[in-house]
Each structure stands twice: as structure tokens, then as C-alpha cells.
Amino acid sequence: MRGSDLLKVIWRECRVGLVLGSLLAALGLVVGTVFVSAKIALVVGITLVLICGWAATIGGTMPLLAKRLRIDPAVVSAPMVTTLVDATGLILYFLTAKAVLGV
């Protein structure tokens, strides 16, 4: 794997994640606005875009990095990606809520 391959994978996966996140955010904005409030819906929407982009990027690059380090990608990918995305997803959610709601 070359460095340029990693950058291509990061760019491609991030774009796919952002598209998916945008679609989910649009749905979340509608549902959130109807059932809760526009500000809460905005927090959920922004967070969905960020987390989906981040998760796709990490999920696409972690196996490549593991292979580069001569570790079996199957062993590292699932537990590492899940833990990393879950933990950072909460941080992204709370930071977004703090920024939008001013809490």
C-alpha cells in the first residue's frame, strides 16, 4: 500500500459517509422537528453527518493500516472501529449540542 492509496481511500470513504449522513440527517431533521424541536433536530442532523463521515473513513482505513503494521485486519477492524467510532461519536454529539444549544 502506498501513501497515495491511503489518501484516495480516505477521500472516497469520507465522501460516501457524508452522503449517507446527509440523507439520514434530512430524515432526522424532519422527524426531530415534528416530535421535539428544531434545535434538537439540528443537533441530531449535524451529528449524523459528522459521525457517518467519520465512521466510513475509519472503517475504510483501519484494515489498510492494520495490514501495513502486519496485523491481521480481520482481528483489528471490528473491535477497534466499533470502539473508536462509538467513543468519538459521543464526543461529537456532545460538542455539537454544546455549540448549537449553548449548553
Side-chain angles (χ1 to χ4, degrees), residues 1-90:
M1 175 183 77
R2 298 185 316 256
S4 62
D5 293 339
L6 182 61
L7 293 176
K8 287 177 187 176
V9 169
I10 289 172
W11 175 239
R12 183 178 58 238
E13 293 297 330
C14 187
R15 284 187 321 206
V16 169
L18 292 175
V19 168
L20 174 64
S22 298
L23 293 172
L24 290 171
L27 180 63
L29 283 170
V30 171
V31 172
T33 302
V34 169
F35 290 106
V36 188
S37 73
K39 280 192 170 186
I40 299 292
L42 184 61
V43 169
V44 170
I46 292 170
T47 304
L48 278 168
V49 172
L50 294 174
I51 290 175
C52 286
W54 175 241
T57 304
I58 293 299
T61 57
M62 191 65 69
L64 296 175
L65 294 174
K67 188 176 178 182
R68 175 81 178 213
L69 296 172
R70 298 176 190 209
I71 301 171
D72 183 13
V75 173
V76 175
S77 293
M80 189 72 119
V81 169
T82 303
T83 303
L84 186 61
V85 170
D86 286 351
T88 55
L90 280 173

